[in-house]
Amino acid sequence: MADDVVLSEAEIQEALVSLPDWESKDNWLQRSYQTPGWPHTLALAAAIGFAAEAAWHHPDLELGYARVKVKLQTHRVGGITTHDTALAARIEEIATWMPGEDSPLDGFPKNWVK
């Protein structure tokens, strides 16, 4: 595929500016999310899975009681590409979204994903 170019370390660091809670480690773009508990962990994993499948991408997920760890890599090239940084941005948007103060939606009363 045309976009299957592994990003340089400088390009990865530039992408991480807009993904502050993500890190590059061992050719993976990764982040752990803390959730309020198991039901939220499963819901977040499902939402990530839906977005990844829509993007035809396949992240590695590690689930714990109140934790979801996401690891992204373009497997066919064995490194981080723009596919990974774009999906990381979408996952971040999904995982951290909450209704705004002016929204008619109340939002979850406990600490949400962090």
Side-chain angles (χ1 to χ4, degrees):
M1 298 189 143
D3 292 338
D4 283 350
V5 176
V6 175
L7 298 177
S8 69
E9 187 59 33
E11 291 169 320
I12 293 168
Q13 292 308 312
E14 183 179 328
L16 288 174
V17 170
S18 61
L19 299 166
D21 293 317
W22 289 75
E23 67 176 340
S24 171
K25 185 175 180 184
D26 301 325
N27 290 321
W28 291 90
L29 193 58
Q30 55 189 13
R31 185 198 196 295
S32 289
Y33 293 95
Q34 299 300 312
T35 71
W38 184 242
H40 302 89
T41 294
L42 291 177
L44 179 56
I48 291 169
F50 183 85
E53 191 63 23
W56 203 1
H57 205 319
H58 308 97
D60 284 15
L61 300 179
E62 297 174 15
L63 306 181
Y65 171 76
R67 179 182 65 86
V68 176
K69 183 175 184 179
V70 182
K71 293 174 65 179
L72 298 170
Q73 177 188 84
T74 301
H75 300 290
R76 65 184 160 266
V77 297
I80 299 168
T81 70
T82 56
H83 294 267
D84 306 300
T85 57
L87 184 57
R90 182 67 180 128
I91 290 169
E92 188 70 15
E93 182 181 322
I94 291 167
T96 60
W97 180 85
M98 286 288 294
E101 288 184 23
D102 59 343
S103 173
L105 302 171
D106 294 330
F108 190 69
K110 295 182 182 179
N111 287 335
W112 192 236
V113 175
K114 30 183 178 162

